[in-house]
Amino acid sequence: MSRPRHAAVVVLALLTAGCAASGPDPAVSTAAPGSAGVTPGRPSASTAPSPVPAARAGIGARPSAPTRPCTVFPADNVWHADVSRLPVHARSSAMIGAIGAGATVHADFGSGRWAGAPIGIPVTVVAAGQRKVPITFGYADESDPGPYPIPPDAQVEGGPAGTGDRHVIVWDRAACRAYELFDAHRSGAGWRAGSGAVFDLRANRMRPAGWTSADAAGLSVLAGLVRYEEVAAGRIDHAIRVTVPRTRTGWTWPAGHSASSVTDPTLPQLGQRLRLRRSVDLSGLPRQARIVAEAMRRHGLIVADHGSAWFVSGAPDPRWDNDALHALDRLRGSDFEVVDAAGLMADPKSAAVR
């Protein structure tokens, strides 16, 4: 069952994907087994630091460290593919025009708060043994059934009273799985959500064709988020999640879900891969913005959902320099092109690349 999807029109937001063992990341909340929590985590090469004790509302948390490193999908996953030399799509100009050639890029993440909530899509890290709770879904026929290990105080995009997409992203590093909800609300001992998906982060397995996820494209939200730890390490090793105002029906691999009935060929599809042009001069950008832009050139953007044009997603973190991130506004839609990523696909049922 398809569904029209939401728009994340928050002014600023942040995150990406990864895991390993090294320093703390204040962008991610951490819950101890059988409880809930709030703390941080993520470096480059899709690896992130081990959970560390973190204070939340005066309560200390002591999550146990994962026994094995957990990367956000294998190195040969399409999210990590280098698309810098892929051919330009035959309808690139038309699709860029439909998205908005004159519209500017917006980092939909940052530090501080906007409308009372952290700026970006937060991630809650849980330790091994986190109690699983029941989840009820509005789109149960396209959602992975519960229970999910989501603590009662898991961070919600937009805050507890938020009225937007209300994503809840829970990262179980010990099991190396991501549990992702769209339109999530507390309900009794568990949660209710519009839709939900579970991703084995050590596998290239795709969701069944036609199934949504917490994103309209049927993809992982976690995989496409920019995180501070990546930028601090100097490199983002994956494509970045981006929203566009409209898409046409169907989807482009690696997406597996459509949220439109429009057949206009000038519109992009969910899953379309976009790339910052090689000719764009990045030398004048502040370091944080430049590293994000370099990832847009090497790994590109993946159209994941409907929303404001050229809004790129990340996780909130107090260490972001909002002024530096605002420098991404210098980039316009006309600085991008749509690439033909079909040559990367080894199997339409797998996210692994050739």
Side-chain angles (χ1 to χ4, degrees):
M1 160 181 167
S2 294
R3 58 183 166 109
R5 288 298 302 273
H6 38 288
V9 191
V10 188
V11 179
L12 292 155
L14 160 113
L15 184 98
T16 55
C19 139
S22 69
D25 175 2
V28 182
S29 80
T30 306
S35 70
V38 188
T39 323
R42 160 91 210 226
S44 72
S46 273
T47 59
S50 301
V52 295
R56 53 170 180 76
I59 301 176
R62 254 184 222 175
S64 57
T67 56
R68 295 170 55 196
C70 169
T71 60
V72 178
F73 295 128
D76 65 345
N77 188 277
V78 64
W79 279 99
H80 299 294
D82 183 337
V83 301
S84 61
R85 299 190 180 280
L86 290 184
V88 176
H89 195 285
R91 294 198 304 276
S92 175
S93 295
M95 285 191 272
I96 294 298
I99 297 170
T104 59
V105 170
H106 178 70
D108 200 18
F109 56 90
S111 62
R113 303 177 79 82
W114 174 261
I119 304 165
I121 302 177
V123 174
T124 300
V125 173
V126 296
Q130 174 65 45
R131 183 170 63 89
K132 293 187 176 183
V133 297
I135 314 289
T136 57
F137 296 108
Y139 297 95
D141 57 337
E142 294 181 18
S143 296
D144 294 321
Y148 288 12
I150 300 182
D153 59 351
Q155 293 193 70
V156 179
E157 179 188 11
T163 57
D165 287 357
R166 294 185 59 89
H167 286 112
V168 166
I169 310 298
V170 167
W171 187 0
D172 182 341
R173 288 177 175 158
C176 207
R177 280 177 166 74
Y179 297 82
E180 305 186 354
L181 300 178
F182 158 67
D183 194 21
H185 301 261
R186 287 292 310 283
S187 178
W191 293 74
R192 61 180 171 83
S195 56
V198 180
F199 294 93
D200 180 350
L201 300 177
R202 292 194 174 106
N204 286 318
R205 188 177 307 113
M206 295 177 63
R207 294 177 63 67
W211 280 33
T212 188
S213 61
D215 241 348
L219 298 170
S220 167
V221 176
L222 176 64
L225 293 173
V226 174
R227 287 206 218 162
Y228 176 82
E229 289 295 334
E230 299 176 299
V231 173
R235 180 172 175 258
I236 298 169
D237 74 339
H238 58 81
I240 299 171
R241 178 183 186 268
V242 67
T243 60
V244 301
R246 295 194 304 154
T247 60
R248 73 179 187 277
T249 190
W251 56 80
T252 295
W253 178 85
H257 180 259
S258 175
S260 173
S261 59
V262 180
T263 58
D264 182 352
T266 67
L267 293 173
Q269 288 185 318
L270 291 172
Q272 210 89 53
R273 196 74 163 242
L274 316 176
R275 175 180 66 200
L276 183 64
R277 293 176 182 273
R278 185 182 297 273
S279 59
V280 178
D281 181 9
L282 306 182
S283 61
L285 292 176
R287 183 177 184 275
Q288 290 187 1
R290 177 174 48 77
I291 291 169
V292 175
E294 286 169 350
M296 294 176 181
R297 175 176 287 165
R298 184 179 182 87
H299 299 287
L301 306 169
I302 294 182
V303 177
D305 209 342
H306 295 155
S308 296
W310 305 108
F311 270 44
V312 295
S313 302
D317 193 294
R319 296 167 292 181
W320 285 116
D321 180 336
N322 288 341
D323 290 336
L325 294 177
H326 277 311
L328 289 169
D329 294 359
R330 301 175 195 172
L331 302 177
R332 296 184 175 276
S334 56
D335 292 325
F336 291 80
E337 55 199 358
V338 182
V339 299
D340 184 349
L344 295 175
M345 184 173 62
D347 181 336
K349 295 182 180 179
S350 170
V353 299
R354 295 180 185 277

